[in-house]
Amino acid sequence: MLLLCLGLTAYFAYHTLHGRHGLEARDALLERESALQFENQSLEAVRAKLSRDVALMRSDPPDPDFVEEIARDVLGFARPDDRIVAKPMPNG
């Protein structure tokens, strides 16, 4: 009887630590939760920036500084009086 009780205790102790719903699985889920929370925060920051950009473009007329920023950064446009400095491409 004692051997049976020891065996059952060992069985349950093992599965408490290493089982599908054990402590190791809980630790892995907590790590994943923190990683997903970080990713969610970064996506919320991107969403807030995009919402700001959309609001600036929806105003009538659109914000001229924002339009110029898009023309320079996204489209690669420059004014005729701008000086452009080209960096050499790295070999690789």
Side-chain angles (χ1 to χ4, degrees):
M1 188 66 167
L2 178 63
L3 192 57
L4 178 65
C5 289
L6 285 175
L8 285 174
T9 302
Y11 173 80
F12 286 116
Y14 174 81
H15 285 286
T16 298
L17 294 175
H18 304 290
R20 182 172 158 199
H21 301 288
L23 295 176
E24 288 180 358
R26 180 181 175 269
D27 291 340
L29 286 174
L30 290 175
E31 287 177 20
R32 178 168 164 114
E33 177 191 19
S34 65
L36 289 175
Q37 283 178 348
F38 176 75
E39 183 180 353
N40 188 29
Q41 289 172 351
S42 64
L43 289 174
E44 286 293 329
V46 170
R47 182 182 176 277
K49 182 186 179 310
L50 289 174
S51 294
R52 181 190 67 90
D53 292 350
V54 168
L56 288 173
M57 290 301 290
R58 281 194 178 162
S59 62
D60 192 29
D63 183 38
D65 291 334
F66 186 65
V67 172
E68 183 177 349
E69 178 184 335
I70 290 176
R72 289 175 179 267
D73 293 342
V74 176
L75 301 176
F77 289 169
R79 289 186 170 170
D81 59 341
D82 284 347
R83 291 186 184 200
I84 299 173
V85 178
K87 291 182 182 180
M89 295 292 290
N91 295 334

